[in-house]
Amino acid sequence: MTGAVIPTWGWPPDEDRVDQIFERLARVMPEPRTELTFHSPYTLVVAVALSAQATDVSVNKATDRLFAVADTPQKMLALGEEGLIPFIASIGLYRGKARNVIALSRIVMDDYGGEVPLTREALQTLPGVGRKTASVVLNELGIEAAIAVDTHVFRVSHRLGLANAATPDNVEAQLFKVVPETFLPKAHHWLILHGRYTCTARKPNCGGCLISDLCPSRAGLMAAGEAKA
């Protein structure tokens, strides 16, 4: 996980403080959604698989063109790996991702009749789809209240004292223990978007943060000159 140094706080956090954090985030982002462009479970799986170590903006630029010609596993297989590469060459690790997209498309066609399987176990058997990708898909489609721990979620969770574990999987487990059940379905998106636009890795906007008074990291970041006042 990258970004500025993240402090480690005692855990578990105070329940009232956690409630207030998510109540405020819910107030300003009542219906948070992924910023990836998709229009079906298949295009969502492909978009999320392509987004590994890439920005949503760069993926959307590529998939806007790609999905215009190949938005089903049948069409993707017809395009083939070499045909796919020019559409995604602007995205990092594009050759490996092209192999995975074609391979997962073939499995979806051969094993699932052209429909993406929507269980965690089945999704994680698809090439290029690990636990984090499966969590994003299941959460976005409203199938499972999953929390995919990417760099943003990892950083924000630590700064807010919601987690103090050293690995994404353990942070995920801690979040499931402390996030109130009513907020779990959208917690993934709230933490990602807060980390993407406010609690950034470098120079977080503490002065413009609606939960800064609930953040145990604010004083240290401000004192060190690492945050915007």
Side-chain angles (χ1 to χ4, degrees), residues 167-190:
T167 67
D169 285 351
N170 288 337
V171 166
E172 178 185 350
Q174 288 186 320
L175 288 173
F176 268 101
K177 290 179 180 179
V178 303
V179 176
E181 186 175 355
T182 186
F183 295 122
L184 272 175
K186 299 175 182 176
H188 162 76
H189 288 308
W190 284 323

Side-chain angles (χ1 to χ4, degrees), residues 66-210:
L66 172 62
F67 293 157
V69 298
D71 61 351
T72 66
Q74 300 97 316
K75 293 176 182 178
M76 195 69 73
L77 289 173
L79 191 62
E81 188 175 327
E82 291 306 312
L84 171 57
I85 284 176
F87 288 97
I88 64 171
S90 59
I91 302 173
L93 308 175
Y94 67 91
R95 291 191 182 278
K97 291 177 180 179
R99 282 195 299 273
N100 286 337
V101 168
I102 296 302
L104 75 82
S105 298
R106 184 169 292 110
I107 291 172
V108 169
M109 283 299 300
D110 292 347
D111 296 351
Y112 300 101
E115 298 294 329
V116 169
L118 295 178
T119 66
R120 178 176 291 279
E121 182 179 17
L123 280 171
Q124 289 185 199
T125 65
L126 300 178
V129 179
R131 180 172 180 82
K132 186 171 73 174
T133 297
S135 291
V136 172
V137 172
L138 294 170
N139 182 272
E140 184 64 29
L141 296 178
I143 296 168
E144 181 182 317
I147 300 178
V149 180
D150 66 356
T151 56
H152 299 302
V153 174
F154 189 91
R155 178 179 67 254
V156 172
S157 297
H158 279 76
R159 283 182 176 166
L160 288 173
L162 301 176
N164 63 3
T167 67
D169 285 351
N170 288 337
V171 166
E172 178 185 350
Q174 288 186 320
L175 288 173
F176 268 101
K177 290 179 180 179
V178 303
V179 176
E181 186 175 355
T182 186
F183 295 122
L184 272 175
K186 299 175 182 176
H188 162 76
H189 288 308
W190 284 323
L191 294 172
I192 283 179
L193 294 172
H194 188 65
R196 184 172 291 165
Y197 296 109
T198 301
C199 193
T200 51
R202 294 173 179 81
K203 285 291 181 180
N205 185 17
C206 292
C209 176
L210 80 163

Side-chain angles (χ1 to χ4, degrees), residues 10-76:
W11 190 88
D14 177 76
E15 291 181 8
D16 289 339
R17 186 172 67 84
V18 176
D19 279 339
Q20 290 184 63
I21 286 172
F22 285 101
E23 284 173 1
R24 293 187 196 178
L25 292 173
R27 198 178 308 140
V28 298
M29 293 182 282
E31 296 297 333
R33 301 295 303 270
T34 182
E35 294 183 319
L36 290 170
T37 299
F38 75 97
H39 57 266
S40 67
Y42 174 74
T43 54
L44 176 59
V45 169
V46 171
V48 178
L50 292 176
S51 71
Q53 299 184 49
T55 66
D56 287 359
V57 172
S58 67
V59 172
N60 287 340
K61 287 181 179 178
T63 57
D64 281 349
R65 295 174 53 245
L66 172 62
F67 293 157
V69 298
D71 61 351
T72 66
Q74 300 97 316
K75 293 176 182 178
M76 195 69 73

